[in-house]
Amino acid sequence: MRSTATIGTSAILLALTYLGFVSAQTFQRLGTCPSLGCVFPPDQTEFLAGQLFDIRLEVHAPVNGSEASSGGVPDENFTFCIQSGKGGCQDVTKYFQVQDSSIEKWSFSYYEDLFAKDAGTPIVVNVASKAYRALSLSKPGAYTAKLVYNGGFQTVANWVVREPATRRKAKNVLFFIGDGMTQPMITAARLIAHKSINGKYQSLMQMDQMEALGHQMTHSIDSFITDSANSATALYTGKKSTVNTLNVWADSSANSLDDPKVETIAELFRRHIGGALGIVSTAYIADATPAALCAHTRDRGQYVTVVTEYLTSAEAVNSTFAWPTSCKQPDVIFGGGAEQFFPGRGSPNGTDYYQAFRDKGYNVVLSNTELQATSSKAKTLGIFSVGNLAKWIDRNVLKENLKGQRNSPTGDGTDALDQPGLKEMTLKAIDILQARTKRNEGWFMMSEAASIDKMMHALDYDRALGELLELDDTIRASIAHLKKIGELDNTLIVVTADHGHGFDVFGGADTKYLSAQTTDRKKRAAVGTYGESGLSGYTVTEGALPTNNTIVFGAEGPNFPVTWNPRYAYAAGFGANPDRRENYKLHTTGPRLPAVSSPDGYVANPNDNPDGFNAPGTLGPDEGQGVHSLQDVSVFASGPGSEAFRGVYNSIDIFFKIADALALGRTSR
Ligand SMILES: *[C@@H]1O[C@H](CO)[C@@H](O)[C@H](O)[C@H]1NC(C)=O
Ligand SMILES: *[C@@H]1O[C@H](CO)[C@@H](O)[C@H](O)[C@H]1NC(C)=O
Ligand SMILES: *[C@@H]1O[C@H](CO)[C@@H](O)[C@H](O)[C@H]1NC(C)=O
Ligand SMILES: *[C@@H]1O[C@H](CO)[C@@H](O)[C@H](O)[C@H]1NC(C)=O
Ligand SMILES: *[C@@H]1O[C@H](CO)[C@@H](O)[C@H](O)[C@H]1NC(C)=O
Ligand SMILES: [Zn+2]
């Protein structure tokens, strides 16, 4: 049960007793709205001075269920006022000097709990609402926003406009996100890629060598486990939000484009400084973490909306909710997701969206060769495959796996064999952003190692660690490159994750012995713990080659394993998994598929690790993959402004720290 009176939207206690309050946990009537009056931005919101946002007010009248009220007729005569300092509470229209908006009405339904879902008896809620768009607060300090409804009930939201930094410290910001990356993964990656003698590493990860270390709490606004959309929203806007939302607070209406929006770091950087903007990801480019720099929608699954917003802003999507974005047409967009660009079912109106970008002055590149050859002077769209880009292991070690994918970014059904990795994309992006910084505005780039998360979902630990090592290698190469072009001292580099996965290593496994046993219990005896966990077999070649000795697995030398499938492998577990089979070996034929659907829900895939043992799942039977976990994630930073990243803080603070390094706040007093 939430302690509504103290930390949630502060509804008057009277309202709670009268409602016989049921604090829904599995399902909520509307996150952030425990009473029947809802205010967005909700209680506890903090703003950068001058940051744009929408206000949405809702009054709920549940027709039935434990909160049924007002005969199901929502009060349309609610009032909303804002108070700052000592003055009285001023009506919203006076406070912001805007016209009143008209009442909108809709209804929605939800289940109070799992019993109600089984019984098929949803609660129906009727809603009256108003919205006010594109407002801002530029005076630092505390604000009280008060919704009065149902003849005297109140919902009070406390807002704070933080005192912003006035001196700009960083010219450029290079923001790396290792999606789903946790400290146990970094530790495991170090173990397999860096040689240790008598317990002492002979080399370190680049992340180990950054100037500042902090960690951030990733919770959503209305649930403690986050997804990549609402966590990216927190990192880029300084606002907590709901699962699946991109830069909006989730309202209860069906329309996913009318939710109250908030301005992102990319929009602020463009609007106030006019600097160059780069978006790089190893995911499809409409995926949540890249999308969240520019898009505003309740539903991260609206890929067409996302790519449309990259090009033309929200007006093209629905002018009713026009948002004055300055994010459109980023200087660099590199990633996968060609299905949103070549003519077909996934592209906007089925058109050739590559051409739409060319028409706006973009160079369009579709392979690593074209990427390396293209001019650094023009805005550049680089799309290198259908879906997510190939994984580092498959591009560098198991290249046969690139074949037969039919994922060419041209959409012609051939294979995308010439894909860049995160490093190639990021280094080229630096050159383009640098060339497009005409005066001294600087640039902002987000570079995402997306498939750490995607491969952890698939419980493909080796591929996930390969992606993590590629991220580390990219950070290392970026630092060297920035130094070479004389920009290192001007550039704030921040590396963090958006959430975790419950992965950790607990020992070593003799994969040969495991494979040779015939019962699950004997197979599990192959796992050595403590003194029998052994040493890393990944950084030495002896006895480590696969049966086919001609394949030199990895052979990447420093910073990557020498072999990816030693006999003595690390044994890892996962905090949240479907039924699966484990043998702790590298998946040589492509990413792992741990579970398959059956009439009884997901069961262990019999073709995955057939020589392994059965490990029963911990998740509900409708989950076929691992899911995100609770833990705080690390933040590493170097360069001007990096000292602010030390300590323990909330995900939203990262936005404020970056905004302060760029001095993006705009006050008036
Ligand atoms: C809202 O106010 C109008 C005008 O004062 C009144 O006619 C109407 O009954 C009120 N509606 C409710 C639901 O209180
Ligand atoms: C609430 O009302 C709706 C619509 O009449 C109905 O379908 C639903 O079963 C009711 N829910 C409960 C919990 O009674
Ligand atoms: C825009 O939103 C309004 C209000 O929900 C809706 O009526 C209209 O159909 C939408 N337009 C488009 C083009 O989706
Ligand atoms: C799709 O077509 C409609 C109708 O012709 C047009 O209004 C809209 O702007 C188009 N959308 C995009 C993303 O081009
Ligand atoms: C090992 O694999 C390579 C590459 O697939 C192949 O060319 C070679 O013939 C194989 N060698 C043996 C001994 O099987
Ligand atoms: Zn994920």
Side-chain angles (χ1 to χ4, degrees):
M1 158 119 194
R2 279 175 300 213
S3 49
T4 315
T6 50
I7 56 166
T9 303
S10 328
I12 272 187
L13 269 174
L14 180 62
L16 300 182
T17 46
Y18 145 74
L19 291 170
F21 190 64
V22 172
S23 179
Q25 287 291 312
T26 310
F27 308 118
Q28 300 174 38
R29 174 168 36 76
L30 180 59
T32 72
C33 186
S35 63
L36 295 180
C38 322
V39 176
F40 305 102
D43 191 27
Q44 304 298 313
T45 302
E46 294 183 68
F47 298 96
L48 183 73
Q51 184 178 19
L52 294 172
F53 64 94
D54 293 343
I55 291 175
R56 155 94 59 207
L57 311 167
E58 293 186 15
V59 175
H60 291 185
V63 171
N64 52 10
S66 62
E67 294 180 303
S69 79
S70 312
V73 180
D75 178 15
E76 296 175 24
N77 293 345
F78 57 83
T79 61
F80 184 64
C81 65
I82 294 163
Q83 180 167 4
S84 58
K86 288 216 162 33
C89 203
Q90 269 194 314
D91 188 73
V92 58
T93 54
K94 282 222 182 64
Y95 195 92
F96 288 107
Q97 301 286 310
V98 292
Q99 297 209 316
D100 201 8
S101 48
S102 47
I103 287 277
E104 300 169 57
K105 294 211 263 188
W106 62 77
S107 37
F108 68 95
S109 64
Y110 79 108
Y111 294 108
E112 276 195 341
D113 62 16
L114 285 163
F115 293 109
K117 188 180 175 207
D118 285 348
T121 52
I123 304 300
V124 175
V125 182
N126 292 326
V127 182
S129 173
K130 282 185 181 181
Y132 305 88
R133 306 277 176 190
L135 309 170
S136 68
L137 296 167
S138 47
K139 192 169 148 227
Y143 294 73
T144 309
K146 197 192 295 178
L147 175 71
V148 181
Y149 64 100
N150 286 358
F153 288 91
Q154 295 186 2
T155 298
V156 176
N158 295 295
W159 298 340
V160 170
V161 175
R162 290 197 191 179
E163 189 70 53
T166 48
R167 194 176 65 82
R168 184 171 173 186
K169 290 183 175 162
K171 178 180 160 198
N172 313 312
V173 172
L174 179 46
F175 188 24
F176 287 106
I177 296 184
D179 201 305
M181 176 174 73
T182 63
Q183 204 57 47
M185 295 174 202
I186 296 171
T187 313
R190 189 193 301 116
L191 176 83
I192 65 172
H194 292 270
K195 197 169 171 182
S196 165
I197 300 177
N198 291 335
K200 220 181 135 202
Y201 280 104
Q202 305 299 296
S203 59
L204 290 171
M205 306 276 284
Q206 184 60 48
M207 280 182 256
D208 296 337
Q209 302 172 60
M210 304 289 275
E211 291 162 14
L213 167 64
H215 79 218
Q216 48 133 332
M217 311 163 210
T218 67
H219 317 292
S220 303
I221 200 166
D222 53 5
S223 63
F224 50 75
I225 304 294
T226 181
D227 80 318
S228 292
N230 75 75
S231 59
T233 297
L235 297 172
Y236 302 158
T237 70
K239 309 292 171 280
K240 294 280 183 177
S241 66
T242 299
V243 166
N244 292 338
T245 61
L246 296 173
N247 307 314
V248 301
W249 291 280
D251 68 20
S252 69
S253 78
N255 189 326
S256 56
L257 298 175
D258 72 348
D259 300 50
K261 302 173 171 63
V262 60
E263 193 171 27
T264 72
I265 190 94
E267 291 173 312
L268 283 157
F269 181 67
R270 278 284 190 88
R271 186 157 70 90
H272 290 319
I273 294 179
L277 174 63
I279 303 176
V280 174
S281 176
T282 54
Y284 55 98
I285 204 66
D287 198 12
T289 309
L293 284 162
C294 294
H296 300 81
T297 164
R298 168 71 181 89
D299 175 11
R300 62 180 277 180
Q302 291 182 322
Y303 304 142
V304 166
T305 300
V306 169
V307 296
T308 309
E309 291 198 12
Y310 283 139
L311 192 65
T312 59
S313 90
E315 284 87 338
V317 179
N318 191 326
S319 59
T320 314
F321 318 112
W323 177 254
T325 184
S326 27
C327 200
K328 63 184 171 189
Q329 298 175 24
D331 300 77
V332 170
I333 305 175
F334 292 162
E339 62 275 30
Q340 263 81 60
F341 292 88
F342 56 69
R345 270 187 307 170
S347 73
N349 280 348
T351 60
D352 180 350
Y353 225 52
Y354 291 129
Q355 191 55 44
F357 274 78
R358 284 191 198 97
D359 291 345
K360 298 280 186 191
Y362 275 82
N363 279 343
V364 175
V365 293
L366 303 180
S367 69
N368 188 36
T369 307
E370 287 177 21
L371 174 70
Q372 299 311 323
T374 197
S375 158
S376 293
K377 299 219 169 70
K379 289 181 289 193
T380 309
L381 173 72
I383 300 294
F384 305 106
S385 79
V386 170
N388 302 311
L389 298 187
K391 313 303 169 269
W392 184 93
I393 286 185
D394 298 309
R395 273 187 298 106
N396 292 279
V397 182
L398 301 164
K399 296 179 189 174
E400 286 294 308
N401 293 339
L402 300 182
K403 293 185 187 155
Q405 301 297 318
R406 304 171 57 81
N407 59 347
S408 166
T410 60
D412 68 0
T414 60
D415 298 332
L417 298 176
D418 183 16
Q419 301 180 43
L422 189 68
K423 180 162 81 175
E424 291 75 30
M425 293 192 292
T426 303
L427 294 181
K428 184 70 183 192
I430 290 174
D431 286 342
I432 295 173
L433 296 177
Q434 189 62 23
R436 292 183 62 76
T437 299
K438 283 156 211 91
R439 298 175 304 279
N440 216 28
E441 319 90 279
W443 46 261
F444 178 99
M445 185 198 326
M446 191 288 298
S447 172
E448 185 204 16
S451 289
I452 299 172
D453 172 70
K454 297 189 189 301
M455 292 296 95
M456 279 296 171
H457 276 293
L459 311 184
D460 193 327
Y461 317 131
D462 290 319
R463 275 185 179 69
L465 297 184
E467 298 301 292
L468 195 158
L469 289 166
E470 179 184 46
L471 168 63
D472 198 61
D473 194 44
T474 303
I475 302 165
R476 187 182 294 106
S478 299
I479 289 173
H481 191 59
L482 288 168
K483 196 167 183 182
K484 195 174 107 195
I485 63 173
E487 288 290 330
L488 185 60
D489 293 343
N490 298 328
T491 306
L492 169 64
I493 302 175
V494 180
V495 187
T496 191
D498 51 352
H499 60 77
H501 282 269
F503 165 92
D504 206 349
V505 172
F506 53 82
D510 181 344
T511 57
K512 185 176 172 188
Y513 182 85
L514 192 158
S515 209
Q517 307 311 306
T518 52
T519 68
D520 277 8
R521 292 188 79 77
K522 281 294 275 180
K523 284 175 186 293
R524 278 162 53 192
V527 175
T529 58
Y530 301 108
E532 287 161 16
S533 59
L535 294 168
S536 173
Y538 296 81
T539 52
V540 291
T541 43
E542 300 94 315
L545 289 176
T547 42
N548 182 336
N549 277 348
T550 58
I551 301 175
V552 181
F553 275 70
E556 276 283 319
N559 310 323
F560 287 95
V562 173
T563 177
W564 278 94
N565 60 347
R567 172 173 167 185
Y568 295 97
Y570 64 84
F574 212 81
N577 55 270
D579 292 347
R580 68 192 200 278
R581 299 180 65 80
E582 285 293 4
N583 68 359
Y584 303 117
K585 286 185 196 162
L586 177 68
H587 289 73
T588 52
T589 56
R592 182 178 183 184
L593 181 65
V596 289
S597 70
S598 79
D600 201 23
Y602 280 93
V603 294
N605 177 2
N607 300 321
D608 179 46
N609 305 334
D611 64 341
F613 59 84
N614 274 303
T618 54
L619 289 170
D622 58 351
E623 297 283 357
Q625 291 205 320
V627 299
H628 301 173
S629 70
L630 180 66
Q631 67 183 291
D632 292 352
V633 294
S634 299
V635 187
F636 307 94
S638 284
S642 63
E643 60 287 346
F645 291 84
R646 298 195 173 115
V648 179
Y649 38 86
N650 207 307
S651 55
I652 61 166
D653 292 301
I654 297 196
F655 163 81
F656 289 98
K657 291 172 194 299
I658 295 176
D660 276 352
L662 292 167
L664 290 177
R666 293 293 178 272
T667 55
S668 73
R669 283 160 215 268

